[in-house]
Amino acid sequence: MCEKLEKGPLQPLTVHKGTVLHVASFYQKKNLVLNLLDQIRNNNSRIRELTVHNDVGNTVLHDAAASDQMVEAARKMLCLSPELLVHRNYNDETALFRAVRFGKIDMFNFLEDEIQGRRVKMEEDKWKSIYQREDGTTVLHIAVLYEHFGQRSLSLPKINMINYISLRT
């Protein structure tokens, strides 16, 4: 599909340095994203470029995190590049923050499970940074601010650790 482009699916496409993959993720084109990820799966240099940020600092995972429809695509992104979990945008937020900001429960649960599954491999500071910005704002603050809590919303047991973090600081 993107074979003629120099960088394939990671070719910058917009004036804001969004790649083909960024644009497909932003517009929630799950099947297209999955196909584009398949194109880069066997190319190590392209896999390393999967963490590229656009002009607002978002990675493709940040863009995918704004939609529950993109969980399968996010899973594939993390299989290729697990470090996407800790990348921050220019708002100092990880993809988990974006899922919370937009009230995407399925995406939040998926990302939270991925984070917990990888926690043993992370240093505490890196792990904590997924849940808390440099200004001290946590994903719990964002959930409350955007009123994404309560019934059929972000589960409070899942963000119990986030509450723990906010109390420690």
Side-chain angles (χ1 to χ4, degrees), residues 5-167:
L5 297 175
E6 180 184 340
K7 293 187 176 189
L10 299 171
Q11 178 74 32
L13 186 66
T14 69
V15 295
H16 300 291
K17 297 182 183 170
T19 65
V20 175
L21 199 50
H22 276 100
V23 173
S25 296
F26 181 84
Y27 285 105
Q28 304 169 21
K29 303 296 183 187
K30 179 184 78 169
N31 291 331
L32 176 58
V33 169
L34 293 171
N35 288 333
L36 293 170
L37 290 169
D38 282 341
Q39 287 182 24
I40 65 171
R41 183 181 49 211
N42 296 321
N43 186 325
N44 286 337
S45 65
R46 292 235 170 103
I47 290 172
R48 284 190 296 276
E49 292 177 35
L50 195 56
T51 60
V52 70
H53 294 247
N54 63 16
D55 274 355
V56 293
N58 287 341
T59 65
V60 292
L61 185 61
H62 281 91
D63 288 334
S67 171
D68 281 337
Q69 318 282 320
M70 298 296 288
V71 170
E72 185 181 350
R75 179 176 288 111
K76 193 171 235 180
M77 289 173 190
L78 290 173
C79 283
L80 293 172
S81 186
E83 64 272 15
L84 283 167
L85 277 175
V86 299
H87 278 253
R88 295 165 174 265
N89 63 17
Y90 297 149
N91 290 326
D92 198 31
E93 296 176 341
T94 60
L96 185 70
F97 272 86
R98 297 238 331 149
V100 170
R101 177 182 308 282
F102 291 104
K104 303 306 173 188
I105 299 154
D106 295 338
M107 183 63 77
F108 168 81
N109 287 330
F110 165 71
L111 291 172
E112 173 63 11
D113 289 345
E114 286 292 310
I115 293 162
Q116 291 304 318
R118 298 169 196 273
R119 182 175 178 203
V120 293
K121 299 175 186 173
M122 287 187 212
E123 299 168 11
E124 185 173 342
D125 287 346
K126 187 177 266 192
W127 179 79
K128 184 178 174 180
S129 75
I130 294 172
Y131 296 99
Q132 186 173 29
R133 298 187 320 202
E134 291 294 320
D135 68 1
T137 302
T138 67
V139 292
L140 180 60
H141 292 121
I142 298 299
V144 172
L145 182 66
Y146 286 87
E147 300 180 3
H148 297 305
F149 53 88
Q151 276 189 327
R152 185 57 193 136
S153 195
L154 299 175
S155 75
L156 291 179
K158 277 243 177 190
I159 51 181
N160 193 24
M161 182 51 72
I162 300 160
N163 192 24
Y164 165 76
I165 291 169
S166 65
L167 292 173

